[in-house]
């Protein structure tokens, strides 16, 4: 894709930078408007600056992904009604040998559930519950929250349905489910183990002393409260913890005897800055992949691109169908459940889809790949390392689905000149690195932001998982897990 005009590149970069800052620091002093408003501001600036036309901005919104999020939220609400958390709590507590054992179990459950139900869905459902488990045992929450987010990302890499970028890769490359699983599973399994070991090494002292020093004044969670846990959808609220506690104190007095059946509007609602990580716009981003720079592969990428949209649509309608089936089988007015859906989260994604698409249209990500492509051949270790670095950078800068759509055809074609086996391996490397890249920074994936925001807004006492806390673990974990996994990817 050719670079846009200088003014569009500059203005588009400014709009994207504003969005990025507000997504990572939603309460910055100069503009404390929060993530949802920040994403809409970034999208609006893309249109005002004429980086995108209004019709192009609307086309950038990925309705299949919005449908997938909506459906999984509704399903999650009905799962908690079936006492799923009660049984999950028993599983985590069964013959438990202490905090370190609990952390390893959370890593395993997050990885397995993400491989078959997507990483974002797992984090939406499990974040508050994991936080309550830590409170129940008077343990510091951050190792367990990091374990949930990072293991969910790594685990989702093993299957085409673990996350949207894998689905796109499976469709574009025509790799079967079994072949995909066989190729990535060894890397995923070792990656989860290595990630857990790194967590244990970094937080060994914290997990050895059963006391949460950071939150010593916070009331512990009872066994009954954990067993009766209720799922809370997430909002993109940026309200600080002091203000949120003031709001929650009055509500908690009214709801403490109702077993959390009536949800407060301010309850945790999940951020999904990541679904932008997850499956950005399979329509608009595809236009970048099908640009003039890919003339030799235009028809091929376009036809496969339509398939990828269909794949997301099928996934989306499957989730919506499951949600509606539960609504009908419940045989009650569904208004209460539907009110728990985080509509602010869906709005956030709309703005994010537009903003990221505008940034891709500046041509910066494509120009970066054009410069690095000659050095990213996978027929030698150095080339694989360069390719991995390119994917890591672009996935954290422009999100991983747009990166997959931008690089997929070109990486595959470049590897195909070596051999058919190399082409398959290149696609699997793209799937592995673009997924694990989500662990690098707080903005790296939707799963990270979902965990961060939900934990921050949790009742009765939230927990702030800071950018530094995540980076301190995320950077070494991502680099080590990615490097080890690359040696285990099978073609």
């Amino acid at each position: 894709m050719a670079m846009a005009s200088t003014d569009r590149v500059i203005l588009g970069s400014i709009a994207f930078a504003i969005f990025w800052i507000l997504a990572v620091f939603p309460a910055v002093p100069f503009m404390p408007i929060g993530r949802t408003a920040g994403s809409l501001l970034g999208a609006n600036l893309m249109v005002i600056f004429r980086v995108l036309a209004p019709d192009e901005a609307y086309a950038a919104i990925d309705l299949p992904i919005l449908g997938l999020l909506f459906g999984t939220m509704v399903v999650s609400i009905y799962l908690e009604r079936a006492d799923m958390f009660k049984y999950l709590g028993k599983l985590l507590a069964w013959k438990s040998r202490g905090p370190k054992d609990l952390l390893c179990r959370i890593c395993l459950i997050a990885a397995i559930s993400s491989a078959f139900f997507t990483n974002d869905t797992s984090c939406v459902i499990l974040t508050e519950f994991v936080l309550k488990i830590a409170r129940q045992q008077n343990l510091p929450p951050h190792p367990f929250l990091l374990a949930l987010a990072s293991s969910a990302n790594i685990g989702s890499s093993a299957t085409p349905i673990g996350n949207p970028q894998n689905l796109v890769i499976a469709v574009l490359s025509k790799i079967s489910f079994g072949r995909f699983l066989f190729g990535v599973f060894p890397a995923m399994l070792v990656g989860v183990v290595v990630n857990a070991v790194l967590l244990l090494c970094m937080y060994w002292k914290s997990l050895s002393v059963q006391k949460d020093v950071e939150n010593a004044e916070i009331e512990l969670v009872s066994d009954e409260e954990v067993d009766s846990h209720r799922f809370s959808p997430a909002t993109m609220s940026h309200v600080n913890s002091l203000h949120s506690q003031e709001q929650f104190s009055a509500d908690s007095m009214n709801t403490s005897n109702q077993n959390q059946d009536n949800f407060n509007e301010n309850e945790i609602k999940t951020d999904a800055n990541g679904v932008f990580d997850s499956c950005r716009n399979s329509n608009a981003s595809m236009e970048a992949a099908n640009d003039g720079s890919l003339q030799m592969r235009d028809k091929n990428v376009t036809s496969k691109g339509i398939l990828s949209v269909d794949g997301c649509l099928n996934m989306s309608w499957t989730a919506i169908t499951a949600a509606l089936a539960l609504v009908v089988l419940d045989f009650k007015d569904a208004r209460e459940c539907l009110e728990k859906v985080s509509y602010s989260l869906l709005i956030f994604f709309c703005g994010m889809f537009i903003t990221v698409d505008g940034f891709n249209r500046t041509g910066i990500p494509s120009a970066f790949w054009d410069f690095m492509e000659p050095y990213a051949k996978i027929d030698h270790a150095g080339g694989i390392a360069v390719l991995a670095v390119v994917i890591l950078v672009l996935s954290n800068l422009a999100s991983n689905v747009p990166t997959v759509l931008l690089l997929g055809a070109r990486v595959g074609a470049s590897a195909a000149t070596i051999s058919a086996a190399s082409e398959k391996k290149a696609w699997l490397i793209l799937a592995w690195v673009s997924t694990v890249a989500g662990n690098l920074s707080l903005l790296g994936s939707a799963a990270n932001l979902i965990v961060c925001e939900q934990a921050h807004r949790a009742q009765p006492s939230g927990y702030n998982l800071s950018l530094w806390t995540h980076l301190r673990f995320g950077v070494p974990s991502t680099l080590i897990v990615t490097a080890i996994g690359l040696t285990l990817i099978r073609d």
Side-chain angles (χ1 to χ4, degrees):
M1 179 179 182
M3 290 287 288
S5 59
T6 303
D7 58 334
R8 287 192 177 186
V9 170
I10 295 173
L11 293 174
S13 299
I14 291 173
F16 181 77
I18 291 173
F19 159 78
W20 193 93
I21 291 171
L22 292 177
V24 178
F25 309 105
V28 288
F30 64 87
M31 197 178 295
I33 61 176
R35 290 190 174 103
T36 299
S39 72
L40 290 177
L41 176 61
N44 195 38
L45 289 176
M46 287 294 182
V47 176
I48 292 175
F49 293 159
R50 297 185 179 181
V51 178
L52 291 173
D55 289 344
E56 291 173 333
Y58 285 124
I61 297 174
D62 193 339
L63 291 178
I65 297 308
L66 296 181
L68 177 63
L69 280 175
F70 174 82
T72 54
M73 285 186 203
V74 175
V75 170
S76 299
I77 293 166
Y78 281 93
L79 283 176
E80 58 86 5
R81 281 190 168 190
D83 289 330
M84 179 194 72
F85 295 105
K86 178 180 179 180
Y87 298 109
L88 184 57
K90 290 181 178 179
L91 176 63
L92 289 173
W94 183 66
K95 293 186 178 181
S96 177
R97 298 188 177 182
K100 302 179 187 67
D101 182 31
L102 176 62
L103 184 139
C104 292
R105 294 187 188 203
I106 289 173
C107 288
L108 182 61
I109 289 174
I112 294 174
S113 62
S114 296
F116 297 100
F117 300 107
T118 78
N119 52 352
D120 299 335
T121 301
S122 297
C123 291
V124 165
I125 296 173
L126 295 175
T127 298
E128 277 190 277
F129 181 72
V130 168
L131 183 60
K132 284 186 177 181
I133 289 286
R135 296 294 193 209
Q136 179 193 37
Q137 300 190 24
N138 197 20
L139 294 167
H142 57 276
F144 301 97
L145 296 174
L146 288 171
L148 173 61
S150 58
S151 298
N153 284 328
I154 297 172
S156 71
S157 66
T159 65
I161 59 174
N163 55 61
Q165 67 265 21
N166 278 9
L167 178 63
V168 172
I169 287 172
V171 173
L172 292 179
S173 65
K174 296 183 178 179
I175 299 176
S176 67
F177 187 100
R179 193 83 183 269
F180 197 108
L181 180 64
F182 177 79
V184 182
F185 182 78
M188 184 277 283
L189 185 60
V190 174
V192 171
V193 173
V194 170
N195 188 66
V197 170
L198 291 173
L199 279 165
L200 290 173
C201 292
M202 183 171 289
Y203 296 104
W204 186 268
K205 290 185 178 180
S206 300
L207 297 173
S208 297
V209 180
Q210 201 163 354
K211 183 175 180 179
D212 185 359
V213 178
E214 297 176 68
N215 300 278
E217 298 180 359
I218 294 177
E219 183 178 353
L220 296 181
V221 175
S222 65
D223 293 347
E224 291 76 12
E225 189 174 351
V226 173
D227 289 343
S228 63
H229 171 70
R230 292 291 182 249
F231 164 76
S232 307
T235 56
M236 306 302 302
S237 174
H238 68 285
V239 182
N240 60 52
S241 58
L242 176 60
H243 179 57
S244 63
Q245 288 175 10
E246 291 173 352
Q247 287 182 316
F248 291 155
S249 60
D251 295 317
S252 60
M253 291 175 64
N254 296 328
T255 59
S256 60
N257 296 325
Q258 299 176 20
N259 199 25
Q260 296 184 350
D261 284 336
N262 297 322
F263 278 73
N264 184 304
E265 289 181 351
N266 294 318
E267 279 196 41
I268 307 169
K269 300 191 173 174
T270 167
D271 175 343
N273 193 16
V275 169
F276 105 45
D277 239 311
S278 202
C279 183
R280 231 213 49 80
N281 184 351
S282 297
N283 301 323
S285 295
M286 203 171 305
E287 294 176 8
N290 294 330
D291 197 79
S293 62
L294 300 177
Q295 291 177 2
M296 297 300 291
R297 294 181 288 276
D298 259 355
K299 293 183 180 179
N300 184 40
V301 174
T302 303
S303 62
K304 291 180 180 178
I306 294 173
L307 289 175
S308 71
V309 175
D310 289 342
C312 285
L313 278 171
N314 290 338
M315 204 173 182
S316 173
W317 281 109
T318 298
I320 294 173
T321 302
L324 291 176
L326 292 173
V327 168
V328 173
L329 291 173
D330 191 46
F331 208 66
K332 295 178 182 177
D333 189 341
R335 183 180 63 178
E336 181 183 353
C337 290
L338 294 179
E339 285 175 350
K340 297 175 186 176
V341 171
S342 178
Y343 296 102
S344 65
L345 173 62
L346 301 180
I347 293 172
F348 171 82
F349 279 129
C350 291
M352 181 169 41
F353 290 150
I354 295 170
T355 305
V356 174
D357 186 61
F359 180 69
N360 284 333
R361 285 171 181 263
T362 65
I364 294 176
S366 182
F368 178 62
W369 169 248
D370 289 339
F371 176 76
M372 299 300 298
E373 185 176 11
Y375 311 101
K377 304 293 184 181
I378 69 166
D379 54 350
H380 60 283
I384 294 176
V386 171
L387 177 61
V389 170
V390 171
I391 298 170
L392 278 170
V393 172
L394 288 180
S395 293
N396 278 274
L397 186 64
S399 88
N400 40 22
V401 170
T403 296
V404 165
L405 288 167
L406 177 69
L407 300 184
R410 304 177 72 169
V411 169
S414 177
T417 60
I418 303 172
S419 68
S422 295
E423 181 181 8
K424 288 262 197 264
K425 185 174 182 178
W427 282 108
L428 295 178
I429 288 174
L430 181 60
W432 169 251
V433 180
S434 64
T435 299
V436 179
N439 286 336
L440 186 69
S441 68
L442 192 60
L443 193 61
S445 78
N448 298 342
L449 285 163
I450 288 170
V451 170
C452 176
E453 198 70 12
Q454 262 191 294
H456 176 65
R457 301 290 294 170
Q459 292 192 51
S461 53
Y463 182 84
N464 183 30
L465 185 64
S466 66
L467 174 67
W468 167 243
T469 300
H470 189 281
L471 277 176
R472 189 174 61 173
F473 170 73
V475 172
S477 172
T478 301
L479 296 179
I480 294 172
V481 171
T482 300
I484 293 175
L486 285 173
T487 64
L488 299 173
I489 297 292
R490 302 180 181 181
D491 51 35

